[in-house]
Amino acid sequence: MRKYLSLALLASIAFACSPKEKVETEVDYTQMSDEERLEVAKKMAHETIMVDGHVDLPYRMKVGGFTLQREILDVSVRTPDGNFDFPRSKEGGLDAPFMSIYIPAGLQQTPGSSKALADSLILMTERLAETFPEKFAMAYSPADIEKNFAEGKVSLPMGMENGSALEDDISNVEYFHGRGIRYITLTHGKANLIGDSSYDTVRLYNGLSEYGEQVVTEMNRVGIMVDVSHVSDETFKDALAITKVPAIASHSSVRAFTPGFERNMNDELIQALAKNGGVMMINFGGTFIDSAYAAGADKVREHFVNYLAENNLSRRDSAAQAYIAEYTAANNPFPTVQRVADHIDYVKNLVGIDYVGLGSDFDGVGDSLPTGLKDVSMYPNLIAELLKRGYSQEEIEKICYKNVFRVWQAVEDYAASQS
């Protein structure tokens, strides 16, 4: 025990030292007890900027009844459901969740509706920062996040999930940059005017469309990161061939753990993104990280549909929720935080630590989240697992923010050189 306590003390000293002194004070976190390693992880989470590439709060606010007149869903306080709110964000050390401006693919059938929803969700996000300025602040650059972090505020950078909101007007790329959007996920569940989707069996272009090529070029020009999550493999390759700056995958995981699931990235794509200088931000959703869980989830879902119908219950009924929790635990146990660490390990071992980050998909993947990572308060559990596996503090910092900051700054610098 004395050995472990001494290591924990050394870790505390290392956090307080200058970067040069940190090199001189090496700590073997693998030799700590689990309890002490978790305490170190909590301290690291709170003293390091943490960026999450994808949190679906804006659409959750819309579904929860958020209006511009009053906040029915108040995430400035602890909420009984969902994965994100201010208290839990502070507990977990999350400083900059990218707010997903999510545009359902179905809206593509009605011209103008995708852009209208994007504007509405942006306004909701801005209203959150305006209503609780002591807790939240908008962020449009890495420098904004650093400033907000120093002030103890949770930053709200924004990324648009589904380029369909651009409609068929290339000038909307610059328009949404002006509205604060700092990445655009080119497609979502269906092919759109930009390109093909990994979820869609229809391949309209076998990659990017001609318009999609213009969109990527224009995103480079104005300073919006190109997000290749959700796109088909060919769209992914086309986007990387055109972009002049590093790209991101804001919430994708490793296909080696989910064979046949094109939504995740295979080795070739991971290597291509690394060669591009980009960053892959790991999705925490159970179906993204574990193929066995994904297969079991389909069977469990079918059972619940029948059970609820036979017993005249809805999923919101307490009796149904208790049954669902018990049945799921017995028949399709959730993956654990260790599985998320496996994905990070895989990327690190394949291409290096400089190309991996966090893209949880909190508030976007329902109840499939792994044990130990059920909401934003639990990031220290992941950090502790990485420390247990021998990750250094510098590597943790790269995963938490330095890698995505590098990409984001490169995109900003290129855009500035074009003006």
Side-chain angles (χ1 to χ4, degrees):
M1 177 62 72
R2 184 179 302 238
K3 178 180 180 182
Y4 290 151
L5 288 174
S6 132
L7 285 166
L9 179 60
L10 279 173
S12 296
I13 293 171
F15 291 145
C17 292
S18 68
K20 180 178 180 180
E21 290 169 323
K22 285 181 187 177
V23 173
E24 296 169 354
T25 312
E26 294 183 359
V27 179
D28 186 355
Y29 301 108
T30 66
Q31 296 301 308
M32 293 181 177
S33 68
D34 288 344
E35 293 78 9
E36 291 188 343
R37 190 161 38 240
L38 181 58
E39 288 306 307
V40 170
K42 289 177 180 177
K43 186 175 179 64
M44 192 176 291
H46 287 94
E47 295 186 359
T48 300
I49 293 174
M50 190 181 302
V51 177
D52 188 316
H54 195 89
V55 174
D56 274 295
L57 177 66
Y59 200 75
R60 177 183 158 213
M61 290 193 296
K62 171 183 168 55
V63 173
F66 186 103
T67 70
L68 296 182
Q69 288 73 44
R70 60 194 183 97
E71 293 71 45
I72 298 172
L73 175 63
D74 183 0
V75 293
S76 72
V77 297
R78 193 176 302 273
T79 55
D81 52 17
N83 310 130
F84 174 91
D85 53 48
F86 180 80
R88 287 184 286 175
S89 189
K90 295 300 286 185
E91 288 170 14
L94 176 60
D95 304 295
F98 264 91
M99 295 287 98
S100 170
I101 305 303
Y102 164 58
I103 313 301
L107 293 181
Q108 295 166 196
Q109 306 305 315
T110 308
S113 60
S114 294
K115 181 175 182 291
L117 177 59
D119 281 328
S120 174
L121 296 180
I122 291 169
L123 283 171
M124 288 182 187
T125 305
E126 292 172 336
R127 180 61 184 271
L128 184 61
E130 292 167 1
T131 305
F132 306 105
E134 74 286 358
K135 295 181 177 181
F136 299 106
M138 302 304 295
Y140 308 109
S141 67
D144 286 345
I145 292 174
E146 290 173 338
K147 177 179 179 294
N148 295 337
F149 176 73
E151 296 174 357
K153 298 177 182 179
V154 173
S155 291
L156 302 176
M158 294 184 293
M160 189 162 70
E161 186 179 23
N162 196 354
S164 63
L166 300 175
E167 305 285 348
D168 58 354
D169 185 350
I170 195 69
S171 69
N172 278 329
V173 176
E174 187 165 18
Y175 168 80
F176 278 114
H177 181 270
R179 297 292 290 109
I181 295 297
R182 290 300 178 265
Y183 75 67
I184 295 177
T185 316
L186 299 178
T187 70
H188 193 255
K190 295 287 185 182
N192 59 22
L193 296 176
I194 294 171
D196 295 331
S197 163
S198 62
Y199 281 132
D200 200 345
T201 56
V202 175
R203 301 297 159 99
L204 295 180
Y205 319 101
N206 292 317
L208 284 176
S209 67
E210 290 185 10
Y211 175 66
E213 294 175 358
Q214 296 172 28
V215 166
V216 171
T217 299
E218 183 69 355
M219 287 169 67
N220 286 175
R221 186 187 72 81
V222 304
I224 294 178
M225 289 181 280
V226 176
D227 178 18
V228 290
S229 287
H230 278 286
V231 303
S232 70
D233 288 0
E234 294 307 314
T235 304
F236 189 114
K237 294 172 185 176
D238 285 352
L240 290 195
I242 292 169
T243 182
K244 302 297 184 184
V245 290
I248 64 168
S250 68
H251 58 306
S252 295
S253 297
V254 176
R255 199 181 300 173
F257 295 95
T258 57
F261 185 37
E262 189 179 355
R263 171 65 179 81
N264 276 346
M265 292 167 54
N266 64 20
D267 288 9
E268 178 189 2
L269 300 184
I270 296 170
Q271 291 168 326
L273 187 62
K275 184 177 180 181
N276 160 263
V279 59
M280 176 182 181
M281 309 178 84
I282 301 297
N283 191 312
F284 297 173
T287 57
F288 285 81
I289 61 174
D290 194 289
S291 59
Y293 174 80
D298 290 336
K299 296 179 181 179
V300 167
R301 192 176 299 112
E302 182 180 357
H303 173 80
F304 291 153
V305 170
N306 295 329
Y307 173 82
L308 295 174
E310 292 168 1
N311 292 274
N312 196 28
L313 293 171
S314 76
R315 288 185 71 95
R316 292 184 176 274
D317 293 327
S318 58
Q321 290 178 356
Y323 177 81
I324 288 171
E326 181 180 354
Y327 186 90
T328 300
N331 293 275
N332 192 36
F334 293 108
T336 67
V337 64
Q338 285 79 18
R339 197 55 159 171
V340 176
D342 290 343
H343 283 251
I344 294 173
D345 271 350
Y346 192 97
V347 178
K348 176 188 174 184
N349 293 335
L350 182 65
V351 296
I353 193 65
D354 294 324
Y355 309 104
V356 64
L358 307 176
S360 66
D361 213 349
F362 278 138
D363 280 333
V365 287
D367 57 3
S368 73
L369 290 157
T371 302
L373 275 176
K374 293 294 187 183
D375 62 42
V376 294
S377 71
M378 299 184 183
Y379 293 99
N381 292 337
L382 177 57
I383 293 175
E385 177 62 26
L386 294 175
L387 293 174
K388 187 175 184 177
R389 298 182 183 206
Y391 283 65
S392 68
Q393 182 181 352
E394 174 65 18
E395 288 176 322
I396 298 295
E397 290 173 352
K398 286 185 175 185
I399 293 168
C400 286
Y401 80 101
K402 288 184 176 178
N403 290 340
V404 70
F405 268 23
R406 170 182 53 77
V407 173
W408 194 351
Q409 193 61 56
V411 171
E412 285 200 339
D413 290 346
Y414 179 84
S417 74
Q418 301 303 297
S419 59

